[in-house]
Amino acid sequence: MGVSADGRHGEFFFEFSGLIPESLYTVMSLRQRDLDPAAPTRPGPLGVPNVFVTDRDGRATYRASLPNAFPAADSPGANRIVSVVVLWQSYQQNYGGAIGQFGLGGDIHAQLKIPVPGFEEFTTRA
């Protein structure tokens, strides 16, 4: 993880191992406002496309670049990415920006979640 050279994009790169071989995974981002107890929202896709398929040994890579992913906390309308969630799609079907058809435990299964809050060391600008 990091920030692009121009300071405008959050850069994400993952190398996975030990996952279910030849399987479909979805990568979602959790933003600050998703955790608001008064009006929580759902995670959104971490990039487009937000999927990867593992090889026969359960390995894969994933890369995404998102504009202004880590705005300064005091910026108007700031909604920083604070975590990344990797979900195994047990029906081997992608639902785009939606998490899945039946939800956690139904057709999607959380495999990794970066502890919240994270990425505090990064700041991007619009």
Side-chain angles (χ1 to χ4, degrees):
M1 266 71 63
V3 175
S4 62
D6 66 3
R8 296 184 179 274
H9 292 79
E11 302 288 334
F12 300 85
F13 179 73
F14 300 95
E15 292 182 8
F16 298 105
S17 63
L19 298 176
I20 299 168
E22 299 177 345
S23 290
L24 180 72
Y25 286 82
T26 299
V27 186
M28 305 296 277
S29 65
L30 187 64
R31 293 184 177 263
Q32 249 173 333
R33 292 189 193 158
D34 295 338
L35 305 173
D36 181 356
T41 58
R42 294 181 181 264
L46 183 73
V48 175
N50 66 321
V51 298
F52 64 88
V53 176
T54 55
D55 67 14
R56 66 183 183 158
D57 296 317
R59 294 182 306 227
T61 61
Y62 179 79
R63 179 182 307 264
S65 178
L66 277 76
N68 203 15
F70 311 112
D74 59 354
S75 300
N79 195 16
R80 297 174 57 87
I81 292 177
V82 296
S83 186
V84 172
V85 182
V86 176
L87 304 165
W88 174 55
Q89 305 292 127
S90 59
Y91 285 165
Q92 300 299 294
Q93 183 171 339
N94 176 355
Y95 295 93
I99 292 178
Q101 184 173 0
F102 300 108
L104 282 171
D107 58 340
I108 59 167
H109 313 276
Q111 300 294 293
L112 168 75
K113 180 179 177 188
I114 295 175
V116 175
F119 313 125
E120 292 175 350
E121 67 272 29
F122 304 121
T123 302
T124 52
R125 57 187 164 78

